[in-house]
């Protein structure tokens, strides 16, 4: 079973200019969960002045109920972030650091080593809240400042005993510059070394390989993948980065068991409305396909096309 | 070795409104070949009134020299097409029919059976010209009129003794609605049944899976793939179809041995200029990536990122 996590409200919104009201975010979370999307990343504890579109994350957490929060993730980078999000009600935390030290400094304001050193306290805080924590490794392939990131660097972080409490390893192609052969190699190595851990793949479509890389990651052992509605997104501290792999394109490719033609259509409608509100281009081809070939759509997704 | 064929001047131009002068087409062919692209599809013998952007195909053939024509393909649908293109100097012919009868009628004006029945004469004409011929099977996965196309239908055409003279089988996802599991299955079956024949995969990105499907086809046994600059293209007789898999995205993913950072940059520049001239959107993400992250580009493609 492949799980998809929609990260529109975190990674997706980071670069948008137009703020999305908290009430609208609540509605988006509920619509995604109700359509069947297994989990959603809803925001970040990053400094509000640095990432204004996510400044209301605590309010958003407080507006959701425990059943909803059980399926929601919050981006954190310090133990204090975990504590504050947990106080508001969050239970799932994505603890992020970068394989590249230069990107960690640009993104989080400290060295990768300092982020690793603080991780046991983050793990403890998540555990105290009865929650789960992931180790998210940004720039797992390339860094905008340092160039290519050696596989060994990513493996060393994943193996680091201070990360032991993390349930999952999230491997991120932050710049969208990885190619499938690289993704296959890194995911397979991480999967082989730490079998009890789940691997989550987080891909960007900057160079056109968002979906291809994500499928390569799944074939190599990842069990969950990230996407954003309409391919929205990008990292404000990674020059050249752009949209996430599109949730709609991933769903069209993967057709998880919970997806039906009507839930797919619902997600496409939500995506279309949301991106219009934000004034952002919809980069999802599957969403465009669904809109422009209405007659083709039911059987394109339906049982007549048998694929697993 | 994976070969890429650029089909910008045939499938790419079919839906464009603005005509491209023959002299400009000649320059595009030469620029592509000179940059190292192994082969190029340059036009079609379809009725000029039905596909006006390709009306000058015979003039284009006449303007190219024999060394160039050895790397150029011409779309044909009848024996007479082969004869006329061969008289002008063409030696490589892509004989096209559709797995779906309804699409064959819309696209070529006769039944699939009639197209198959005429194929031996097309093979003979190609052979008389000292040329090569491919059997191109459009709508190998879905048809805009008939819906899902059964694998057995495609296999029956590929196996048909009247197609025996074809060197290659071109499997086309005309609507871009296939998903990688389907592509893997069909390509593997065709490859298993007719080993001496090369399989060419022709994908569209309508639903976001152009690159992912193409990589799946290569992994399953295809040895050549089609792409168009900037993802241009679509079939005028297939409602809902849109752009081809982008040449730039495929090259970025595949990095064939002939590709260098400078030849890639050259192709990106050609694509940008050409799509601007045509007033068409550039759908290639890799081209956008190359343009927006100039500092990242050299090492993103260079030796530091080791991938095969």
């Amino acid at each position: 079973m492949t799980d998809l996590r929609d990260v529109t409200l975190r990674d997706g919104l980071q670069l948008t200019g137009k703020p999305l009201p908290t009430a609208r975010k609540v509605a988006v979370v509920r619509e995604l969960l109700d359509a069947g999307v297994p989990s959603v990343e809803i925001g970040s504890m990053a400094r509000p002045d640095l990432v204004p579109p996510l400044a209301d994350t605590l309010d958003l957490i407080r507006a959701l109920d425990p059943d909803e929060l059980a399926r929601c993730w919050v981006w954190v980078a310090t133990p204090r972030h975990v504590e504050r999000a947990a106080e508001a009600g969050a239970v799932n935390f994505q603890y992020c650091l970068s394989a590249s030290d230069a990107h960690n400094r640009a993104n989080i304001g400290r060295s990768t080593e300092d982020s690793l050193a603080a991780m046991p306290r983050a793990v403890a805080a998540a555990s105290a809240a009865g929650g789960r924590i992931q180790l998210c490794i940004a720039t797992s392939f390339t860094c905008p400042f340092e160039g290519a990131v050696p596989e060994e660097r990513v493996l060393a972080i994943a193996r680091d005993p201070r990360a032991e409490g993390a349930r999952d390893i999230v491997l991120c192609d932050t710049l969208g510059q990885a190619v499938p052969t690289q993704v296959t190699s890194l995911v397979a190595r991480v999967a082989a070394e730490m079998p009890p851990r789940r691997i989550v793949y987080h891909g960007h479509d900057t160079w056109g390989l968002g979906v291809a890389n994500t499928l390569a990651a799944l074939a190599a052992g990842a069990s969950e993948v990230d996407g954003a509605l309409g391919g929205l997104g990008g990292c404000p501290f990674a020059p050249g980065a752009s949209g996430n792999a599109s949730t709609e394109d991933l769903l069209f490719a993967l057709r998880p068991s919970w997806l039906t033609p009507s839930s797919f259509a619902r997600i496409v409608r939500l995506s279309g409305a949301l991106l219009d509100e934000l004034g952002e281009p919809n980069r999802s081809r599957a969403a465009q396909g669904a809109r422009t070939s209405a007659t083709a759509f039911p059987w394109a997704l339906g049982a007549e096309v048998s694929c697993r």
Side-chain angles (χ1 to χ4, degrees), chain A residues 85-108:
Chain A
E87 278 164 26
V91 288
N92 297 313
F93 311 95
Q94 175 165 230
Y95 186 86
C96 196
L97 50 76
S98 302
S100 140
D101 204 61
H103 187 260
N104 209 72
R105 290 178 192 276
N107 200 32
I108 306 180

Side-chain angles (χ1 to χ4, degrees), chain A residues 21 44 204 250 266 297:
Chain A
S44 157
H204 282 251
L250 290 173
R266 193 170 161 184
F297 171 67

Side-chain angles (χ1 to χ4, degrees), chain A residues 131-199:
Chain A
R132 296 177 295 185
I133 194 163
Q134 299 177 319
L135 171 61
C136 166
I137 308 178
T139 62
S140 282
F141 299 91
T142 55
C143 163
F145 314 111
E146 294 181 9
V149 172
E151 272 188 1
E152 287 302 333
R153 175 84 185 122
V154 180
L155 278 159
I157 294 170
R159 278 184 208 124
D160 193 295
R162 293 168 293 185
E164 237 169 32
R167 185 190 66 160
D168 312 317
I169 303 282
V170 186
L171 297 172
C172 304
D173 177 22
T174 306
L175 295 191
Q177 290 178 328
V179 298
T181 46
Q182 292 173 296
V183 174
T184 300
S185 173
L186 182 64
V187 170
R189 287 186 72 183
V190 175
E193 287 208 19
M194 36 209 92
R197 282 184 175 167
R198 295 165 76 248
I199 296 176

